[in-house]
Amino acid sequence: MYLAATPMKLLFVGDIFGRPGRDAVHRFLGPLRRELNVDMVIANGENATHGTGMSDSAYRELAASGIDVFTGGNHSLSRPDTLALLEAHKDVLCPGNASSMLERHGWTVLSVRETSVAVLNAMGQYCLTAGNNPFEYVERMLDIPEIRACKIRCIDFHAEATAEKAAMLHLLDGRVSAILGTHTHVPTADARISDRGTAFVTDVGMTGVVDSIIGLDPSRMVQRYRTGIAAPPKVADGTATLMAALVEIDETTGQALHISMLQRST
Ligand SMILES: [Fe+2]
Ligand SMILES: [Fe+2]
């Protein structure tokens, strides 16, 4: 039995990018869980396999490292085996507003310290091909009985535009414990707890090679931008940095108490 005075600690890991990102998870996640007394880990896995989606083998490898729930993004949908992965594992999500067919894969509920925790995943519409409106999707999901029953409700909002992410906070302020932004791979310096107890950050960042172009090999990307001729993208070589947000939540009220950003690299 846990006392209400002991907040639940949720670690949210930014987009895991390719082999270097997976290696950083292996190296840092176990020690972080112990050092910070983390109760639950959510990670965005949309770039886990060669930067595009997540294979079944990458899923197994990362789940064994201590990730409880995987969220996704636009790249989750680029692999032909995505639907099989989503259907086989209820701890793997994709943005539920990506298409009407994927609505059920945009949320899951799990029990942490005997408290029901809902995790939701949606993606923005600016620069991304979301089939449905993310604001309508999330509000509708928050109202279904399984999610309404959860005191703690966390959202990965995967979006390009900072304004879309801020709008999601203002729409859901006080109705969810945390809204963690992903997709840009660049961490923002605006982590805060709203007056109504929602933890928010525009972007958590990525778990990948920092000396890169959002995880990709710079020379290929520069060639592409300089000439306008597409060069096949390649995951950047090097040692990755793990970027994450640590959120402390009062599980009796569902309100977030504290959020801090952290990075680990060798
Ligand atoms: Fe990503
Ligand atoms: Fe993305």
Side-chain angles (χ1 to χ4, degrees):
M1 181 65 69
Y2 289 86
L3 299 175
T6 309
M8 184 181 289
K9 288 189 175 178
L10 158 69
L11 187 72
F12 187 101
V13 178
D15 302 30
I16 301 164
F17 206 100
R19 167 54 68 191
R22 301 202 308 273
D23 285 347
V25 169
H26 296 314
R27 196 175 315 126
F28 300 121
L29 189 55
L32 270 175
R33 278 197 88 128
R34 291 188 291 276
E35 175 193 330
L36 303 172
N37 292 316
V38 170
D39 297 298
M40 175 185 180
V41 177
I42 305 171
N44 187 297
E46 73 147 354
N47 309 111
T49 300
H50 308 308
T52 305
M54 183 167 63
S55 66
D56 191 69
S57 64
Y59 159 74
R60 291 175 192 283
E61 183 188 316
L62 288 164
S65 297
I67 294 169
D68 300 298
V69 177
F70 293 87
T71 53
N74 51 310
H75 288 294
S76 299
L77 312 173
S78 303
R79 293 179 57 90
D81 54 355
T82 295
L83 200 54
L85 186 75
L86 292 166
E87 285 177 350
H89 306 289
K90 70 171 191 160
D91 55 345
V92 180
L93 305 181
C94 73
N97 65 309
S99 129
S100 299
M101 279 180 58
L102 296 170
E103 275 201 8
R104 177 58 189 91
H105 296 296
W107 63 271
T108 193
V109 171
L110 67 163
S111 181
V112 183
R113 299 193 341 183
E114 300 173 18
T115 297
S116 292
V117 178
V119 181
L120 296 92
N121 189 191
M123 71 179 186
Q125 292 182 302
Y126 180 75
C127 292
L128 298 174
T129 53
N132 295 316
N133 184 297
F135 302 94
E136 185 276 335
Y137 170 74
V138 172
E139 277 202 296
R140 188 156 48 80
M141 292 304 110
L142 289 175
D143 211 31
I144 66 173
E146 297 97 315
I147 297 179
R148 215 169 41 206
C150 295
K151 187 67 82 176
I152 294 179
R153 307 187 297 181
C154 302
I155 299 174
D156 172 352
F157 188 32
H158 193 81
E160 181 75 30
T162 54
E164 270 189 300
K165 292 171 175 173
M168 189 64 87
L169 170 63
H170 285 274
L171 176 70
L172 303 179
D173 195 6
R175 295 159 63 189
V176 300
S177 308
I179 300 171
L180 292 321
T182 58
H183 176 67
T184 72
H185 297 190
V186 178
T188 54
D190 61 341
R192 67 186 176 99
I193 306 292
S194 74
D195 290 344
R196 294 179 177 171
T198 297
F200 176 79
V201 64
T202 297
D203 209 294
V204 176
M206 77 171 167
T207 296
V209 176
V210 171
D211 188 19
S212 71
I213 296 180
I214 61 171
L216 290 165
D217 181 273
S219 62
R220 300 260 182 118
M221 296 300 287
V222 169
Q223 180 188 333
R224 178 173 145 186
Y225 288 125
R226 184 166 173 264
T227 65
I229 299 168
K234 174 182 171 293
V235 175
D237 293 323
T239 304
T241 297
L242 182 147
M243 299 182 189
L246 180 69
V247 184
E248 297 182 30
I249 302 166
D250 181 337
E251 59 199 286
T252 63
T253 64
Q255 290 195 328
L257 304 170
H258 186 72
I259 181 170
S260 55
M261 307 300 289
L262 61 91
Q263 297 191 9
R264 289 290 184 278
S265 58
T266 50

